[in-house]
Amino acid sequence: MVIKTGQLFKIILFCVLTFKAGGLHTTTNVATKVKGVAGVWYTPDIMNCSIDINSYNLDLSGITSLVFEIKRCGRAHVILSSSDVRNSSEPLFGISIGYKTYKTFITYRADDSLDSESRNYVSFLNPNILNCTVYQTFWVSWSDGDIKLGTGNVVGENI
Ligand SMILES: *[C@@H]1O[C@H](CO)[C@@H](O)[C@H](O)[C@H]1NC(C)=O
Ligand SMILES: *[C@@H]1O[C@H](CO)[C@@H](O)[C@H](O)[C@H]1NC(C)=O
Ligand SMILES: *[C@@H]1O[C@H](CO)[C@@H](O)[C@H](O)[C@H]1NC(C)=O
């Protein structure tokens, strides 16, 4: 599934999840094989660590939001990439949910240089947003270039 948006972002999720988009509800289990830790802030070739939800044969062209569920003890990551070929050098947004159980980061990076001018982030306090045993529902939207994240299955609510 390539998610073609106004901004040409493709969405990449990693973790165990179910996701819904465009009225379609798909359940799949995905898990990444990452040695050590990985994150868009400090892993240049971060796309290698991701699972492309494009590979689930869904046509989500034109959508600008996605509802998904995460069951996870540690951090979960969502990447919105501008690359169709998983090129880590292309601009991307990384959403890191549940860092140290209390923080969420939305990071933009222009390329894979990790230079300080090429990346920045905002962070939000939201303790215990994930649960190891119970799926939690989230949405992400990217219309008009505004990256938003919220909880629940109503896009735009609980940002
Ligand atoms: C990441 O993927 C690229 C392209 O396939 C490859 O050139 C590179 O060696 C990979 N890096 C790692 C750490 O696997
Ligand atoms: C990845 O993107 C960079 C920057 O746009 C480009 O120079 C490079 O050729 C691309 N690599 C691939 C494999 O598409
Ligand atoms: C996860 O959810 C279960 C069931 O609602 C609850 O008992 C447990 O305390 C939760 N764990 C955390 C870390 O919030």
Side-chain angles (χ1 to χ4, degrees), residues 41-122:
W41 191 255
Y42 47 79
T43 306
D45 52 359
I46 187 67
M47 297 301 275
N48 291 39
C49 307
S50 68
I51 289 181
D52 189 346
I53 58 173
N54 184 42
S55 49
Y56 295 104
N57 294 323
L58 299 171
D59 179 11
L60 300 183
S61 21
I63 70 163
T64 55
S65 65
L66 188 76
V67 175
F68 57 97
E69 296 175 359
I70 301 173
K71 185 171 70 175
R72 175 88 174 98
C73 299
R75 257 193 297 177
H77 302 261
V78 175
I79 298 175
L80 302 169
S81 167
S82 56
S83 169
D84 280 333
V85 293
R86 311 180 65 186
N87 186 339
S88 298
S89 313
E90 295 287 337
L92 56 81
F93 285 93
I95 302 173
S96 171
I97 302 168
Y99 175 71
K100 289 191 194 292
T101 76
Y102 64 88
K103 238 177 182 185
T104 292
F105 290 84
I106 298 183
T107 299
Y108 170 76
R109 84 179 202 192
D111 55 41
D112 60 353
S113 67
L114 306 186
D115 289 343
S116 50
E117 325 76 75
S118 71
R119 52 184 189 164
N120 55 54
Y121 70 89
V122 289

Side-chain angles (χ1 to χ4, degrees), residues 122-150:
V122 289
S123 67
F124 306 90
L125 287 176
N126 29 40
N128 302 317
I129 202 169
L130 296 179
N131 189 304
C132 298
T133 52
V134 180
Y135 278 102
Q136 304 292 321
T137 307
F138 296 87
W139 56 263
V140 60
S141 69
W142 54 91
S143 56
D144 302 324
D146 272 339
I147 310 300
K148 293 177 184 163
L149 176 76

